[in-house]
Amino acid sequence: MHVVVTGATGHIGSYLVPRLVRAGHRVSAVTRGTREPYHPDPAWEQVDRVVLDRDADTFGADLVDLRPDAVVDLVCFTPDSARRLVEALRPTGAFLAHCGTIWVHGRAAFSPLREDDPREPFGEYGTQKNAIEELLLAETRSGGLRSTVLHPGHISGPGWPVITPLGNLDPAVWEQLSSGGELLVPGLGLETMHHVHADDVAQGFELAVANPEAAVGESFHVVSDRALTARGFAEAAAGWWGRSANLRFVSWEEFRGAYGEHADASWEHLSRSHSASTGKARRLLGYSPGFSSLETARSAVEAMGLLPG
């Protein structure tokens, strides 16, 4: 099968492209520039590298000219962009696998979340991704382009920033945990975040491409087996440095006063409090995550050079 991957040298693509090559597929790696993948792999020597600008009017036609059997779209963020790609691919009979996000759910009403739970997405990212899913699955169910949507959690792993136990990217969080310094945690620290290793997301896309008859017209969560609470994450992470977490639980008002701009990111993650089920992906695709959320986070922190050797 000829598989075209957009955003191919990003964090997911850096794992996915070698997986597809090793599975016996011919792969065209589409990128906007000439950036190298996050991780070297000899499989890239067998890959066709293609530079295309997604914002160009000719993007859809240029993609069709590659004659794909399947397209894995890792960098689509607006319904208009998705619509233009669908219109270009519809006559080809190709299969489209789109990268969504568990943020389509908005604030969690159930735990663990299932793909068919009622949704109230908020914020531009989650709202747009939800609209893309609705567009793609409606297209498929009406007899048009065959498509599926995979929803990762907080993607991480070596070479990629990891969401901290406070739901942000503030490096001072790791400094406090490693030194035993006091860490302010909003609320009771029971909100959840669902991290996933980029290679497990890549596994999900590889399985969808291999099993289109099971994937078409469906959406799937691709996350680790279990989410982490803010409190549990902080306590486990402090143990990486042989420390006990020195946590003080405070109101959101006090937290915002202490953490400034980083508090906004914390609110975006913790207010959603996502914990997603992998049951559907396991049942229909054979998905089996290889990394826990904690292992995923630790691998990223190790790659940042913050842990002792």
Side-chain angles (χ1 to χ4, degrees):
M1 183 183 295
H2 180 202
V3 185
V4 172
V5 181
T6 70
T9 57
H11 205 37
I12 301 171
S14 292
Y15 288 98
L16 175 60
V17 168
R19 275 179 167 269
L20 293 172
V21 171
R22 286 191 285 270
H25 300 293
R26 176 191 164 203
V27 181
S28 292
V30 174
T31 56
R32 175 172 292 189
T34 57
R35 186 180 73 180
E36 289 302 304
Y38 278 67
H39 314 284
D41 191 299
W44 284 91
E45 297 174 7
Q46 304 175 53
V47 174
D48 298 322
R49 303 286 293 271
V50 182
V51 176
L52 295 176
D53 183 355
R54 191 181 191 105
D55 294 332
D57 292 337
T58 60
F59 177 77
D62 291 338
L63 212 63
V64 168
D65 286 344
L66 298 176
R67 300 184 179 276
D69 298 304
V71 174
V72 176
D73 192 2
L74 301 176
V75 287
C76 179
F77 302 106
T78 68
D80 182 62
S81 182
R83 186 178 297 107
R84 286 186 277 115
L85 183 58
V86 166
E87 290 171 354
L89 289 176
R90 187 183 290 131
T92 70
F95 168 57
L96 174 64
H98 168 82
C99 186
T101 171
I102 59 172
W103 279 28
V104 297
H105 288 282
R107 292 184 179 89
F110 302 92
S111 184
L113 289 161
R114 295 196 298 244
E115 289 84 351
D116 59 354
D117 282 333
R119 299 176 181 177
E120 294 184 9
F122 64 94
E124 182 177 8
Y125 183 57
T127 300
Q128 297 273 65
K129 284 291 191 178
N130 189 63
I132 292 170
E133 178 182 352
E134 291 179 345
L135 182 157
L136 292 178
L137 298 190
E139 164 77 15
T140 297
R141 290 164 184 167
S142 67
L145 182 72
R146 298 178 304 144
S147 64
T148 189
V149 180
L150 274 64
H151 294 303
H154 307 311
I155 302 167
S156 195
W160 186 257
V162 58
I163 297 297
T164 73
L166 296 187
N168 60 36
L169 294 173
D170 183 1
V173 173
W174 303 119
E175 294 171 11
Q176 294 297 91
L177 290 170
S178 65
S179 67
E182 183 179 72
L183 191 68
L184 304 188
V185 180
L188 297 176
L190 299 180
E191 292 83 1
T192 53
M193 294 168 284
H194 214 153
H195 292 66
V196 62
H197 197 290
D199 187 50
D200 282 331
V201 182
Q203 177 200 156
F205 278 103
E206 179 190 359
L207 290 167
V209 168
N211 301 281
E213 66 285 350
V216 165
E218 304 288 349
S219 66
F220 302 93
H221 295 149
V222 282
V223 290
S224 70
D225 277 331
R226 294 193 296 173
L228 290 166
T229 66
R231 179 177 191 157
F233 189 4
E235 290 173 344
W240 298 340
W241 290 276
R243 301 281 188 180
S244 294
N246 181 10
L247 308 180
R248 180 159 67 92
F249 300 96
V250 300
S251 68
W252 272 99
E253 181 179 9
E254 183 175 349
F255 182 78
R256 288 185 183 280
Y259 284 91
E261 63 184 55
H262 292 294
D264 291 335
S266 296
W267 174 259
E268 289 290 331
H269 288 88
L270 298 178
S271 67
R272 288 173 167 85
S273 198
H274 286 156
S275 174
S277 169
T278 60
K280 183 178 178 181
R282 287 177 177 277
R283 186 175 69 255
L284 296 184
L285 299 180
Y287 175 69
S288 180
F291 300 85
S292 70
S293 287
L294 200 58
E295 289 168 341
T296 296
R298 177 165 183 146
S299 70
V301 174
E302 286 177 340
M304 294 161 63
L306 299 180
L307 288 172

